[in-house]
Amino acid sequence: MNIGIIGAGAIAHFLLEKMNCRQHETLRVTSVFVRNKEKYRLLESEFGVTLYTDLEEFLDSDIDLVVEAANIEAVKTLLPSVLKKKDAVLISVGALADEALLTEISDLAHAYKHNVHLPSGAIGGLDLLQNAHALGTVTSVSLTTRKPARSLIEEDIDEAKTVFEGTAKEAIRQFPKNMNVSIVLSLAGIGIEKTSVRLVADPHIDKNMHHVEIIGDFGEATFSITNNPLPENPKTSYLAAMSILGTLERIGQKIRIGG
């Protein structure tokens, strides 16, 4: 499968390294869409890709699927055009907190018969949540995320401090670079208005920690994840990057586990 990537940041480099440099058995990045071709010119020689600054030329290149690896703004401005021609893997899931955009993307995917894949990112257990809510009987989903204080606030603190408590919808609005996990959790379960989120700045940790609690007719479930940072970029979760590669690998499989 030939992959096109929108963006050239840490996650794009991770995918290029794992697929192109290590010669993945079934996946290869062939095209990369960027705003500034000169800035990223070295990618062409290093990874054997073609850079594009024109979206239509990028979409018409020899790619089977597009991975958005940029930001929320890229989802808003580019994904509608992408879905008219290609399937997509969406990393900046926080964009879907905009209900109008979510509806537009859903309508386009149906109209043009293309799929939008949402990797689980820095958390897990989404298959459990979806299954538990198959009859609409999950009553409570809560997420507590703890992050190194310096990544969230500028003030020096000696003890952990809650910097946000509310709904997933408001969490992504106030912390657009930190709360993608709350949106993918919401989409898998009871929605952005009903999913509870607490964000804690902790000066005593150096990794991101997520704790999820689910309650419903099925019973109760809790799970916790402590994420190591991506070695090439401490601001990016290693698991988030791997979840994209895992999603791409599963797309072509005839036998799939879970779901």
Side-chain angles (χ1 to χ4, degrees), residues 143-157:
L143 166 70
T144 298
T145 292
R146 305 178 76 90
K147 294 197 171 190
R150 64 183 178 277
S151 70
L152 289 174
I153 57 177
E154 294 182 359
E155 66 179 292
D156 291 327
I157 57 176

Side-chain angles (χ1 to χ4, degrees), residues 245-257:
L245 183 59
T247 296
L248 291 170
E249 290 178 337
R250 287 189 294 275
I251 286 173
Q253 292 179 355
K254 298 301 181 185
I255 299 177
R256 302 181 188 179
I257 299 171

Side-chain angles (χ1 to χ4, degrees), residues 9-34:
I11 289 201
H13 275 78
F14 172 86
L15 295 175
L16 286 164
E17 171 67 30
K18 302 308 177 188
M19 286 190 258
N20 290 22
C21 288
R22 301 193 181 185
Q23 297 184 331
H24 193 283
E25 194 172 302
T26 58
L27 303 171
R28 181 170 179 81
V29 179
T30 57
S31 305
V32 179
F33 178 81
V34 294

Side-chain angles (χ1 to χ4, degrees), residues 15 21 31 44 48 62 66 68 72 76 80 95 100 116 123 128 134 175 182 185 189 210 213 219 221 247 251 259:
L15 295 175
C21 288
S31 305
E44 292 187 314
D62 186 24
V66 172
E68 173 276 314
I72 286 176
K76 294 179 178 179
V116 181
I123 60 171
L128 182 153
F175 297 90
S182 70
L185 186 69
H210 305 284
E213 297 183 3
T247 296
I251 286 173

Side-chain angles (χ1 to χ4, degrees), residues 8-255:
I11 289 201
H13 275 78
F14 172 86
L15 295 175
L16 286 164
E17 171 67 30
K18 302 308 177 188
M19 286 190 258
N20 290 22
C21 288
R22 301 193 181 185
Q23 297 184 331
H24 193 283
E25 194 172 302
T26 58
L27 303 171
R28 181 170 179 81
V29 179
T30 57
S31 305
V32 179
F33 178 81
V34 294
R35 294 296 187 188
N36 185 338
K37 188 180 290 187
E38 293 306 315
K39 182 178 179 180
Y40 299 105
R41 183 67 73 183
L42 283 176
L43 294 180
E44 292 187 314
S45 57
E46 185 176 359
F47 297 109
V49 300
T50 301
L51 297 181
Y52 294 88
T53 55
D54 182 280
L55 184 63
E56 292 305 313
E57 289 182 4
F58 167 74
L59 294 174
D60 289 338
S61 66
D62 186 24
I63 56 176
D64 303 300
L65 177 146
V66 172
V67 175
E68 173 276 314
N71 50 47
I72 286 176
E73 190 58 32
V75 176
K76 294 179 178 179
T77 59
L78 303 179
L79 192 63
S81 295
V82 170
L83 288 178
K84 293 176 182 180
K85 293 188 174 182
K86 305 290 179 180
D87 287 0
V89 173
L90 183 60
I91 294 172
S92 304
V93 182
L96 301 185
D98 181 337
E99 295 179 26
L101 179 63
L102 177 60
T103 299
E104 179 185 7
I105 288 173
S106 179
D107 289 346
L108 284 168
H110 280 94
Y112 290 91
K113 295 181 171 56
H114 287 133
N115 299 311
V116 181
H117 304 274
L118 306 180
S120 56
I123 60 171
L126 299 184
D127 57 340
L128 182 153
L129 175 55
Q130 288 178 304
N131 293 338
H133 199 47
L135 295 177
T137 55
V138 167
T139 55
S140 173
V141 179
S142 64
L143 166 70
T144 298
T145 292
R146 305 178 76 90
K147 294 197 171 190
R150 64 183 178 277
S151 70
L152 289 174
I153 57 177
E154 294 182 359
E155 66 179 292
D156 291 327
I157 57 176
D158 297 322
E159 299 296 333
K161 177 181 179 180
T162 297
V163 297
F164 173 83
E165 196 158 10
T167 65
K169 183 175 183 178
E170 188 59 31
I172 195 68
R173 183 179 299 163
Q174 292 191 29
F175 297 90
K177 295 181 179 180
N178 292 278
M179 295 308 299
N180 274 321
V181 292
S182 70
I183 302 306
V184 73
L185 186 69
S186 300
L187 293 173
I190 60 177
I192 59 175
E193 297 280 9
K194 296 181 180 179
T195 301
S196 300
V197 176
R198 180 170 172 252
L199 181 59
V200 179
D202 192 331
H204 304 300
I205 63 174
D206 59 4
K207 299 177 182 179
N208 295 339
M209 305 169 68
H210 305 284
H211 181 77
V212 178
E213 297 183 3
I214 304 167
I215 300 173
D217 285 2
F218 76 98
E220 299 180 10
T222 62
F223 50 92
S224 297
I225 304 98
T226 299
N227 281 312
N228 287 327
L230 191 65
E232 296 83 0
N233 188 334
K235 294 183 179 180
T236 301
S237 160
Y238 201 176
L239 181 58
M242 288 193 292
S243 77
I244 300 154
L245 183 59
T247 296
L248 291 170
E249 290 178 337
R250 287 189 294 275
I251 286 173
Q253 292 179 355
K254 298 301 181 185
I255 299 177

